[in-house]
Amino acid sequence: MRALLLFLSIWSALLATGQSSLSEQYKALLTPPAEYLCAYATSPIVIDGKSNDPAWKNATWTADFQDISGAGFATPRYRTRAKMLWTTDTFYVYAEMEEPHLWSNLKERDTIVYHDNDFEVFIEPRNEARPYFEFEVNQRGTLFDLCLEGAYRAPKRPFIQFQWNAPGLRYALHLDGTLNDASDVDKGWSIEMAIPAKDISAEFHNFLQAFATLRVNFSRVQWHHEVLPNGHYRRKMVDGKVLPEDNWVWTPTGQVAMHMPERWGYVRLLPAGGADQGMHIEDKEKQEASAFLWMLFYAQEEQYGKHRKYHQRLADFRLTKADQALLPKGWAVRLETTSHTYEIIATSPSQRTYVIDESGCYFQRK
């Protein structure tokens, strides 16, 4: 009872008057990410850039991609959609893209591939927002792959392995048209990718297991283009500046930034020949607290960006009733800080503890 009274007194102290709600301020960043039930591939898949293999018939399509910023922004000019499958040793991705002009200039591996039109795959296998992996491929088949221990946004830049190469990665493209030929109109392109479990696993632990939940997102970078007198394509320029690209994604992050693993989709791995048996209780509770804890994280980011220090007390957030409503009844929250680090700790009614820290790592504390 004492703990309950203390908790209620803390929330009473947090009420603020005459100020905007954090939940409204970060509304676009708190929408539920998309979900996908990923079927097990029960027959072999030939990586040829097509979806002709029988296994793909058991995979459902994602929703059509939308603008990265989410609701209220322009519908993409061309359709993009994807499928996923898995086995105990491989995660499979297939995507189809409408495209009337197939063109690509970059040829060297690990160059900045998104300076061409490309398709990008982001995977975080532990559902903790780090580490994660990125794969980018342009219409020529040029690959950029990298491993990141944390998101770019962390106050201390994380270690990013630009030189990391996925040793077992297999992928192929199918072009429905002609590459770099401005004299015709093309139909589109597709990509098929097989990502080995050992390439995205840490400490020899295989994350590809039935009922596991991965965090995944896809991005299609699409540039406005122009054709030069010599017939070559390039990104369109106005007044000497390249026009900004379009970013179309499976599940919006809420801003023009892909390196937000917490905003990626939930991909639940279904067993071979089986159906989903529902989330484990830990996953349910982690999702219950998610929007509230990420709201506080974004507020801490903004606070640090302006003042080079974090809020030190829960009361500093000046939470409104609308902010508090993001957290279900029965949860308790506390903030632990040092001069340049913090943990926001939420304890569920079942006494499980979930933590988010200044690097954006969100996890259950065992």
Side-chain angles (χ1 to χ4, degrees), residues 12 19 24 26 43-44 55 59 83 116 127 157 185 190 209 218-219 234 241 249 253 255 263 275 278 297 299 335:
S12 296
Q19 71 166 53
E24 182 64 28
Y26 303 120
S43 58
K83 291 183 174 184
D116 281 345
N127 192 14
R157 189 177 178 89
V185 176
S190 57
Q209 301 180 23
F218 307 117
S219 172
R234 75 171 183 184
K241 296 181 180 180
V249 301
T253 61
Q255 61 185 24
R263 300 293 299 144
F297 172 83
L335 172 63

Side-chain angles (χ1 to χ4, degrees), residues 50-75:
K50 303 177 183 180
S51 60
N52 295 334
D53 301 305
W56 283 117
K57 294 180 180 179
N58 296 323
T60 58
W61 287 107
T62 64
D64 289 356
F65 286 21
Q66 54 187 299
D67 189 273
I68 192 171
S69 295
F73 287 80
T75 300

Side-chain angles (χ1 to χ4, degrees), residues 61-67 75-76 78-82 96 98 248-252:
W61 287 107
T62 64
D64 289 356
F65 286 21
Q66 54 187 299
D67 189 273
T75 300
Y78 311 124
R79 187 184 196 188
T80 310
R81 56 181 183 165
E96 286 185 352
E98 293 180 346
W248 303 329
V249 301
W250 168 38
T251 183

Side-chain angles (χ1 to χ4, degrees), residues 171-358:
Y171 67 97
L173 277 65
H174 172 69
L175 304 183
D176 193 355
T178 52
L179 185 67
N180 292 332
D181 184 353
S183 67
D184 64 1
V185 176
D186 307 305
K187 292 185 178 180
W189 62 300
S190 57
I191 182 170
E192 191 175 24
M193 189 175 290
I195 304 170
K198 62 183 179 181
D199 285 9
I200 57 170
S201 297
E203 298 177 359
F204 306 102
H205 177 66
N206 183 5
F207 297 103
L208 297 181
Q209 301 180 23
F211 306 117
T213 299
L214 315 181
R215 301 305 296 271
V216 176
N217 208 352
F218 307 117
S219 172
R220 177 181 177 179
V221 173
Q222 188 76 15
W223 296 92
H224 297 273
H225 71 272
E226 58 189 1
V227 181
L228 300 176
N230 61 6
H232 291 172
Y233 287 95
R234 75 171 183 184
R235 293 179 294 171
K236 189 172 183 177
M237 304 185 70
V238 175
D239 297 329
K241 296 181 180 180
V242 176
L243 285 181
E245 79 282 7
D246 289 315
N247 297 273
W248 303 329
V249 301
W250 168 38
T251 183
T253 61
Q255 61 185 24
V256 184
M258 277 302 296
H259 291 270
M260 302 176 70
E262 75 279 5
R263 300 293 299 144
W264 300 348
Y266 293 99
V267 175
R268 187 154 174 81
L269 306 183
L270 301 182
D276 185 31
Q277 297 179 356
M279 287 288 206
H280 300 298
I281 187 167
E282 293 86 354
D283 294 328
K284 284 184 178 180
E285 290 185 333
K286 187 176 180 181
Q287 287 184 314
E288 277 187 345
S290 178
F292 180 81
L293 290 180
W294 283 110
M295 175 185 66
L296 298 188
F297 172 83
Y298 297 136
Q300 286 285 55
E301 277 198 317
E302 184 172 348
Q303 167 71 11
Y304 191 90
K306 291 179 178 178
H307 305 289
R308 306 309 295 172
K309 63 180 181 180
Y310 295 112
H311 290 311
Q312 300 295 301
R313 304 172 304 154
L314 284 173
D316 294 338
F317 289 93
R318 295 176 57 81
L319 299 176
T320 67
K321 289 183 177 180
D323 299 334
Q324 296 175 40
L326 289 182
L327 192 67
K329 294 181 179 179
W331 285 74
V333 181
R334 70 181 191 274
L335 172 63
E336 296 181 356
T337 67
T338 66
S339 58
H340 288 82
T341 64
Y342 69 84
E343 285 188 347
I344 303 172
I345 303 160
T347 303
S348 74
S350 65
Q351 298 304 301
R352 290 184 173 86
T353 300
Y354 300 87
V355 180
I356 192 167
D357 64 21
E358 80 286 345

Side-chain angles (χ1 to χ4, degrees), residues 14 22 30 37 121 127 144 260 279:
L14 293 180
L22 292 179
L30 301 177
L37 297 179
V121 178
N127 192 14
F144 178 31
M260 302 176 70
M279 287 288 206

